[in-house]
Amino acid sequence: MADNKIHKIHPVAEGNVPPSDESSTSPSQLTKTKRGFSFCKCICWSLCIFITLILILGATVGVLYLVFKPKLPQYSVNRLTISQLTLNLDLSLYAKFNVQITAINPNKKIGIFYQKGSHLSVWYKNTNLCQGSLPIFYQGHLNKTVLNVALAGQNQYGRTLLGALREQQQTGRIPLDLKVDVPVKIELGKMKSQKVRILGKCLLIVDSLSANNKINIQATSCKFSVKL
Ligand SMILES: *[C@@H]1O[C@H](CO)[C@@H](O)[C@H](O)[C@H]1NC(C)=O
């Protein structure tokens, strides 16, 4: 311990020496310190400008937020119908579903442009059954739109999949996942944003999968987020 203390004292004593050295600096050393000083000044100014820009940006975002009061759009699945769920000759499973989705834009000052390239898909336990896309349209302020989306797909492991679905159907509760990936542009007043993506996943529990029958959706739970 005592040794340690002595070691700590030493550097301080040495550090006291340089100032006396600097008081007798040669001209070349002086320009060096001057240059060092202006370099410091430059960094200081850059930092000030940077911080000011960040503050302005933050204030702008804050004001935009207060003016537009953005809210996430709301989606719900009203209905699911199956027009086809058949085993092909090559033993692949062909599925054709129809989902009815209600999309609500709860914003008073924000419009939503639904872009092309959206992707909706229905899954049963990590197996893709069918997919489709939303129409391209503009959803205005406080607008509620009902969308009918046709989804179709083919799965090569038809027999296994159909067997699993039939077995599940006997329990009367078939869990299906609806995954949504929709590119949109946001309209703020007269401005139009870059493309952002609305990502969502809904768990639908249905009572049957028989084609052309009324299928009851027993439960839905959806989660949505926006990806920049
Ligand atoms: C909502 O938006 C859709 C699509 O743009 C439009 O067809 C519909 O008329 C709008 N509904 C209302 C109530 O304005």
Side-chain angles (χ1 to χ4, degrees):
M1 280 299 217
D3 247 11
N4 228 344
K5 263 183 191 164
I6 290 164
H7 275 294
K8 268 187 188 165
I9 288 162
H10 256 285
V12 176
E14 272 170 2
N16 277 341
V17 179
S20 64
D21 239 19
E22 251 176 50
S23 59
S24 60
T25 40
S26 66
S28 71
Q29 265 177 320
L30 230 146
T31 52
K32 245 188 201 168
T33 50
K34 244 190 183 171
R35 223 180 265 156
F37 182 64
S38 63
F39 179 67
C40 250
K41 218 170 161 183
C42 186
I43 286 201
C44 196
W45 271 107
S46 308
L47 212 65
C48 278
I49 291 172
F50 183 69
I51 289 173
T52 312
L53 283 180
I54 293 273
L55 286 179
I56 291 174
L57 189 74
T60 311
V61 170
V63 167
L64 282 178
Y65 196 88
L66 285 180
V67 168
F68 289 103
K69 299 191 183 80
K71 290 187 202 110
L72 261 182
Q74 296 154 12
Y75 303 95
S76 55
V77 181
N78 315 331
R79 205 167 62 200
L80 174 76
T81 51
I82 295 175
S83 35
Q84 235 175 312
L85 190 66
T86 47
L87 209 54
N88 290 329
L89 283 178
D90 64 358
L91 298 183
S92 62
L93 184 72
Y94 180 72
K96 201 166 168 211
F97 288 18
N98 223 85
V99 282
Q100 192 181 71
I101 297 172
T102 300
I104 296 173
N105 176 11
N107 293 289
K108 277 185 199 158
K109 291 174 186 166
I110 296 176
I112 303 168
F113 289 96
Y114 287 84
Q115 306 282 306
K116 72 167 197 280
S118 64
H119 192 80
L120 269 72
S121 50
V122 175
W123 300 72
Y124 170 71
K125 295 188 177 166
N126 298 322
T127 305
N128 181 225
L129 295 177
C130 50
Q131 55 277 322
S133 54
L134 285 185
I136 299 163
F137 71 107
Y138 169 75
Q139 189 173 32
H141 309 161
L142 298 173
N143 175 283
K144 175 175 160 182
T145 301
V146 176
L147 302 160
N148 285 298
V149 188
L151 309 167
Q154 206 159 339
N155 187 289
Q156 65 178 117
Y157 304 107
R159 258 214 321 214
T160 326
L161 186 54
L162 200 60
L165 286 172
R166 286 205 175 125
E167 204 168 297
Q168 183 80 47
Q169 184 159 323
Q170 283 172 0
T171 68
R173 288 172 68 84
I174 306 157
L176 297 175
D177 284 317
L178 173 69
K179 290 185 191 169
V180 178
D181 181 347
V182 187
V184 298
K185 285 188 177 175
I186 308 295
E187 180 201 49
L188 297 169
K190 291 214 167 88
M191 291 178 290
K192 204 167 157 185
S193 79
Q194 289 293 305
K195 239 184 230 179
V196 296
R197 281 159 67 200
I198 295 177
L199 300 178
K201 190 175 169 181
C202 291
L203 171 68
L204 309 175
I205 296 181
V206 298
D207 63 345
S208 106
L209 283 179
S210 44
N212 301 316
N213 261 348
K214 186 168 159 40
I215 293 169
N216 291 311
I217 301 177
Q218 297 172 343
T220 55
S221 62
C222 295
K223 265 189 218 151
F224 286 94
S225 60
V226 173
K227 196 173 166 196
L228 298 182

